[in-house]
Every structure is written in C-alpha cells, then in structure tokens.
Amino acid sequence: MYSDKTLTLNNGIKISQIQLGTWPINNDDVKKVVRQAISVGYRAFDTARDYGNESGVGKGIWNSDVERSDIYLTTKLPTAVKDYEGTKKAIDEALDRFSLEYIDMLLIHSPQPWIEVNRTNDRHFEGNLENWRAMEEAVKAGKVRSIGVSNFLQEDVANIVNNGTIKPAVNQIEVHIGHVPTDLMKYCENLGIQIEAHSPLAHGRLLKDRKINAYAKKYNVSPAQLMLAFDLQLGCIVLPKSDNVSEMKENLDIDFEISGEDMADLIKLKENTQAMSV
Ligand SMILES: NC(=O)c1ccc[n+]([C@@H]2O[C@H](COP(=O)([O-])OP(=O)(O)OC[C@H]3O[C@@H](n4cnc5c(N)ncnc54)[C@H](OP(=O)(O)O)[C@@H]3O)[C@@H](O)[C@H]2O)c1
C-alpha cells in the first residue's frame, strides 16, 4: 500500500507519498476526519492557515493512538503575510493552534496574497524572502523541520534558491491528468525540489471523464485510483482530499502500474479539449 511508501527530501527527511488534503473540511468536522484517516492508515496531513482548520487537525492528531513522531504535518503561512515579523508571529500562532512543539513542513502558500492572484504582476520577491528568512530561523529553532513553497513559478523558485540559505524541500502545485506543468516540474526536479501535487483529482471534476473511465476499466481500478497512480508515477507526492472513509481507503490502495505507453497518452490530455468529455 502507498501509505507505507516514503520519499526522501533534499534535507534527508522522509515523507509519505500519499497525504490527506484537508481543504475545505471545516474546523469542527476535520478532527473526526483526521482520526478516521489515521485509523485507516494515513500518517500525513496537509492543511493551511487560510483553511481555518488547523486547530481541528491538531485535535485529530492529539486524539489518535499514534505517536506524534509517526505523523507528518504540513501547514502554510497566511498568504497576506509577506514581512519578517508577521511571519515569525504566524509560525508561533500556528504552533499554538496545533498545540504541537513542531511542524513537519511549513510552506509559503502562494507567492502573491490571494487577493492579487491573476490581478497584478507583483511577484513579491522581497516579501517572499522575508517569509523565507523567518522560516529558516524557525528551522534553526526546531519549530519547523522542513520548509518549502506552493504555487511558485520558476521565477519565484529562483528568487528563493538564489537568495536564501536553505533550498525549498518541495513546491506544492496543481498536477493531475489534464494539467501537467512539465517545464516547472522539470525545473524543480533539477534543483532537487520535490513536487507535491495538490488537487490530484482535479477537485473531483474529472472523475466522470470518458477517457479516464476507460483507462480505469482497463486497469480494473476506480477513476480516482487511476488519477492518483498517474501523479505517483510522475514522482509526485499526492494530497487527495476526502472526508469519506471508503474513499480514503480507496485512495491509499494503489498497487498497480500504468504502462509507459498509457502514461504517454494520458500526459498529452489537456482539460477542456475534445479528448476529455467533462
Ligand atoms: N497549495 C494550494 O494552493 C492548494 C490548492 C488546492 C488544494 N490544496 C490541497 O490539496 C488537497 C486536495 O485538493 P482538492 O481538495 O482541490 O481536490 P482533490 O483531492 O483533487 O479532489 C477532491 C474531490 O474528490 C472527491 N474524491 C476523493 N476521493 C474520491 C474517490 N476515491 N472517489 C470519488 N471521489 C473522490 C472528494 O469527494 P468527498 O469530498 O465527497 O470525499 C472531493 O470532492 C486539498 O485538500 C488541500 O490540502 C492545496
């Protein structure tokens, strides 16, 4: 089962290749969802300040039978914070909300505050370096084990790599059948930066796609399993979200391989082309 499969990051730390995404599960419900996920085998969770559910995720971990050291917890800075002091405060507040002594992975959620995405060309290079400086200090202080970025384009990654001290361990970006940013993935791979695939099921909107269903039938798996196997075979960490126990189990139970020929066909698919019937 992929729940047991780990990858090693550029800092030598091991990380589960399948993690539970927790957006948009609300803070009350997420506590039970995390507990259930742990009971079926998940050991890694993805959340963020901007999801509003960090304290619920922390309670789910606390209320489980599993040791803290066996859990891998990722969270992300609020996107509106782009200064050093604000970042330090945000890290301490996150630790308080989780009631935990350390965070396994902390990400800059977006190079731009949400309000500016697709609206301005300001990439906030200075602000992202301010975030990064405070994050590097949090690593040295033992508050955070690994640091990385999310939704970063090549120029945003280069800014951190060229000016920071610690290299980002991951870049968490959208990757799924129909949306494979190959150039960015190769760029990160060449720098030793692991890709985490968010929205690996395309928010669920491609699960009825004709071609995906045909391939799923061929391998005798569900469309969700086919989509996850595709990302895993591209070398990504995947973060499927589900609050349904049978789907959670299904998403961990991936023990088949898509052939090279079929991967080559699937990678060519572009969402909203005629090849896909969504
Ligand atoms: N860094 C970022 O900016 C960013 C952006 C987006 C997402 N993320 C992370 O990535 C995670 C996943 O992304 P996402 O929430 O956008 O979407 P997703 O995981 O691609 O898709 C979730 C949808 O698929 C459904 N689903 C899950 N497993 C299924 C299965 N086996 N069979 C049928 N349906 C299934 C879920 O249904 P149910 O809800 O009914 O279970 C839900 O509707 C998020 O939770 C978050 O942690 C990060």
Side-chain angles (χ1 to χ4, degrees):
M1 283 231 296
Y2 259 100
S3 56
D4 303 328
K5 179 123 194 268
T6 56
L7 296 175
T8 303
L9 299 170
N10 60 20
N11 58 12
I13 294 178
K14 287 193 186 325
I15 184 167
S16 300
Q17 208 175 348
I18 301 186
Q19 314 196 357
L20 190 81
T22 67
W23 174 82
I25 308 171
N26 72 46
N27 199 46
D28 289 333
D29 295 343
V30 80
K31 181 171 127 187
K32 184 171 159 213
V33 170
V34 167
R35 238 186 14 242
Q36 286 174 328
I38 290 174
S39 75
V40 300
Y42 287 82
R43 292 294 178 268
F45 299 90
D46 180 77
T47 179
R49 172 67 188 102
D50 291 351
Y51 301 168
N53 63 12
E54 286 178 319
S55 68
V57 170
K59 283 185 188 133
I61 293 170
W62 273 109
N63 291 345
S64 78
D65 297 333
V66 175
E67 294 288 328
R68 165 69 184 100
S69 56
D70 291 331
I71 297 286
Y72 197 100
L73 178 65
T74 295
T75 194
K76 313 181 193 89
L77 293 174
T79 63
V81 173
K82 291 287 172 202
D83 65 292
Y84 171 77
E85 288 300 334
T87 307
K88 275 177 49 167
K89 187 162 167 271
I91 294 170
D92 288 338
E93 286 173 352
L95 286 166
D96 281 350
R97 272 191 300 277
F98 288 124
S99 298
L100 293 174
E101 284 177 9
Y102 67 89
I103 292 161
D104 295 277
M105 175 76 79
L106 178 68
L107 307 181
I108 302 179
H109 203 153
S110 162
Q112 298 178 293
W114 291 139
I115 197 161
E116 292 182 32
V117 173
N118 297 327
R119 292 198 185 133
T120 78
N121 293 324
D122 185 352
R123 302 307 295 177
H124 291 270
F125 290 134
E126 282 307 316
N128 287 313
L129 291 175
E130 292 277 286
N131 284 155
W132 200 250
R133 186 156 63 92
M135 291 163 76
E136 289 182 334
E137 284 181 14
V139 172
K140 286 188 195 116
K143 295 177 181 181
V144 173
R145 296 266 159 97
S146 301
I147 51 179
V149 295
S150 177
N151 301 306
F152 270 42
L153 302 178
Q154 289 190 24
E155 58 184 332
D156 307 311
V157 174
N159 175 45
I160 301 288
V161 170
N162 294 336
N163 298 297
T165 307
I166 301 178
K167 203 194 280 181
V170 302
N171 188 9
Q172 185 181 120
I173 55 176
E174 182 171 353
V175 184
H176 51 75
I177 296 175
H179 182 87
V180 183
T182 315
D183 290 347
L184 177 58
M185 291 169 76
K186 281 199 183 124
Y187 177 79
C188 290
E189 195 183 318
N190 287 338
L191 287 166
I193 298 171
Q194 172 65 45
I195 297 295
E196 292 191 343
H198 75 59
S199 314
L201 306 173
H203 311 294
R205 70 176 176 261
L206 295 182
L207 293 172
K208 289 197 165 51
D209 176 78
R210 192 166 23 93
K211 193 148 192 176
I212 290 175
N213 275 266
Y215 271 115
K217 201 167 169 198
K218 172 176 175 181
Y219 287 97
N220 200 20
V221 296
S222 71
Q225 288 171 320
L226 183 93
M227 291 189 78
L228 294 174
F230 173 83
D231 276 5
L232 292 166
Q233 283 182 227
L234 291 179
C236 300
I237 288 166
V238 294
L239 318 165
K241 174 262 169 183
S242 180
D243 48 18
N244 168 308
V245 177
S246 66
E247 287 178 4
M248 284 182 205
K249 283 190 191 161
E250 183 182 312
N251 296 346
L252 277 186
D253 184 19
I254 294 164
D255 59 0
F256 69 102
E257 195 167 319
I258 303 171
S259 73
E261 196 184 337
D262 291 345
M263 281 296 287
D265 187 32
L266 286 167
I267 210 166
K268 283 192 297 214
L269 294 180
K270 294 275 177 288
E271 200 173 349
N272 299 326
T273 64
Q274 286 184 342
M276 304 195 92
S277 59
V278 185

